[in-house]
């Protein structure tokens, strides 16, 4: 396969214009190998791409190739893979190479979505057939749930990015795969908060950042819903929240306040064990106050 890597699609030139042109067209002759694919960016629609303005590091060239680099993390519903998206032979050019995290929700035979019911209250599926299938737990329903889960995470990442919350930038979503900013250095992921050993001053700063994240969500009527030191990354002193498909609307979800309270307890319990005193009830009261 030969791929035309750059064409100006603003106008279709005539044969005479092409013959007279002194422009040299660049062709990409590299084919994807094992563990590779053409970039999936061109196949996505605008609604399946991250919010504007897009970061400078994002590679959007149709000539780019995605290369699998291995598994970063395994989870209950899906696994996170490391993907390098780069334009062959130009990877050293700024803007032509980036390492991304690809979260892929597992097939219905290898995942369990029953816990999602407390998070999906207040959400809706457009098609009645899908609603019935998910409720019955059929094979089709579990497949629908995987796509719903991936889209929920992508939409949450987009919304929180626009709100200025500390989350990975969402690159794109395609079926059951969410591509997002990789938080780490090179190919090494940032440690989870639970793995960090910090001084008292550093702990206070980390706690402040976690509380700030929770305030951003609460002031917009949201809660993480499953917040813990295991889904908070610490990258060069900056706390970044991950695992966001279950983000709940505190108004429409009748379990919303209970989930927010659980987030407060989980966070404060961990910091208290690190000898940083904090009161989950006080934190919960502060967050409820900004909701209303």
């Amino acid at each position: 396969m030969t791929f035309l890597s750059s064409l100006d699609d603003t106008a279709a030139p005539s044969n005479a214009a092409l013959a007279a042109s002194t422009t040299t067209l660049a062709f990409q002759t590299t084919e994807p190998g094992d563990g590779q694919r053409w970039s999936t960016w061109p196949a996505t629609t605008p609604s399946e791409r991250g919010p504007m303005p897009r970061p400078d590091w994002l590679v959007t060239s149709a000539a780019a190739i995605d290369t699998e680099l291995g598994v970063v993390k395994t989870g209950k519903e899906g696994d996170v893979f490391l993907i390098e998206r780069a334009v062959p032979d130009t990877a050293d050019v700024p803007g032509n190479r980036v390492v991304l995290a690809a979260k892929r929700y597992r097939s219905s035979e290898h995942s369990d979505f029953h816990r999602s019911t407390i998070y999906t209250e207040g959400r809706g599926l457009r098609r009645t057939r899908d609603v019935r299938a998910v409720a019955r737990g059929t094979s089709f329903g579990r497949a629908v749930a995987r796509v719903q889960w991936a889209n929920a995470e992508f939409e949450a990442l987009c919304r929180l990015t626009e709100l200025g919350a500390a989350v990975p930038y969402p690159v794109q979503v395609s079926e059951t795969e969410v591509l997002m900013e990789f938080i780490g250095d090179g190919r090494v992921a940032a440690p989870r908060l639970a793995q960090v050993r910090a001084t008292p001053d550093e702990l206070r700063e980390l706690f402040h950042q976690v509380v700030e994240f929770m305030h951003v969500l609460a002031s917009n009527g949201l809660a993480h819903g499953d917040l813990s030191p295991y889904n908070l990354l610490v990258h060069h002193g900056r706390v970044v929240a991950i695992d966001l498909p279950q983000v709940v609307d505190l108004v429409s979800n009748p379990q919303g306040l209970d989930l927010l309270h659980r987030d407060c307890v989980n966070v404060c319990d961990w910091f208290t064990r690190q000898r940083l005193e904090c009161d989950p009830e006080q934190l919960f009261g502060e967050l409820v106050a900004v909701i209303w």
Side-chain angles (χ1 to χ4, degrees):
M1 177 178 181
T2 301
F3 189 88
L4 185 60
S5 62
S6 60
L7 269 180
D8 182 358
D9 59 1
T10 57
S14 65
N15 290 336
L18 282 174
S21 174
T22 58
T23 301
T24 300
L25 295 179
F27 288 84
Q28 177 56 263
T29 57
T30 303
E31 289 285 351
D34 292 339
Q36 294 183 320
R37 68 187 183 189
W38 290 111
S39 167
T40 53
W41 177 267
T44 55
T45 64
S47 64
E48 296 169 328
R49 297 172 179 173
M52 301 288 281
R54 298 193 177 105
D56 294 338
W57 50 258
L58 185 58
V59 177
T60 60
S61 171
I65 289 177
D66 292 347
T67 302
E68 297 265 356
L69 300 178
V71 178
V72 177
K73 174 186 173 237
T74 59
K76 294 178 182 177
E77 290 87 17
D79 302 315
V80 179
F81 295 79
L82 205 58
I83 299 288
E84 180 188 69
R85 175 166 289 176
V87 179
D89 302 323
T90 64
D92 293 334
V93 178
N96 280 359
R97 177 186 177 278
V98 67
V99 175
L100 303 170
K103 185 169 184 179
R104 296 170 183 163
Y105 287 87
R106 296 196 198 100
S107 64
S108 56
E109 293 80 15
H110 299 93
S111 63
D112 185 0
F113 284 91
H114 71 272
R115 80 174 183 91
S116 70
T117 55
I118 64 171
Y119 302 112
T120 55
E121 289 189 69
R123 299 181 187 176
L125 289 172
R126 293 182 180 179
R127 299 193 300 178
T128 303
R129 178 193 177 200
D130 292 348
V131 175
R132 291 199 301 266
V134 170
R136 292 173 182 170
T138 63
S139 295
F140 172 73
R142 289 193 295 272
V144 169
R146 285 196 298 143
V147 175
Q148 181 189 30
W149 225 203
N151 278 282
E153 177 147 33
F154 180 74
E155 291 168 6
L157 285 168
C158 287
R159 184 172 181 186
L160 295 181
T161 295
E162 292 174 329
L163 292 175
V167 298
Y169 177 81
V171 174
Q172 64 184 78
V173 63
S174 179
E175 293 294 330
T176 59
E177 179 185 81
V178 182
L179 272 179
M180 65 189 81
E181 177 185 4
F182 174 64
I183 307 299
D185 297 306
R187 299 182 181 183
V188 180
R192 302 175 188 183
L193 177 61
Q195 300 170 306
V196 171
R197 297 295 175 264
T199 66
D201 287 344
E202 290 169 340
L203 278 173
R204 276 190 290 272
E205 172 58 24
L206 293 173
F207 179 69
H208 172 76
Q209 290 186 47
V210 175
V211 170
E212 182 180 9
F213 170 77
M214 298 175 76
H215 268 269
V216 171
L217 269 66
S219 62
N220 288 277
L222 304 171
H224 184 284
D226 195 26
L227 197 61
S228 80
Y230 294 96
N231 48 32
L232 291 165
L233 303 181
V234 181
H235 187 229
H236 299 301
R238 176 174 176 256
V239 177
V240 180
I242 58 172
D243 292 337
L244 296 151
Q246 73 289 318
V247 166
V248 294
D249 187 301
L250 294 171
V251 175
S252 65
N253 189 316
Q255 307 294 325
L257 289 179
D258 289 338
L259 292 170
L260 175 62
H261 183 266
R262 188 177 69 181
D263 285 352
C264 295
V265 171
N266 288 343
V267 167
C268 288
D269 278 357
W270 185 83
F271 278 100
T272 298
R273 289 197 300 272
Q274 308 310 307
R275 299 184 180 180
L276 179 70
E277 291 298 328
C278 51
D279 184 350
E281 300 306 324
Q282 179 181 345
L283 176 57
F284 179 65
E286 292 173 2
L287 296 173
V288 170
V290 302
I291 296 169
W292 311 113

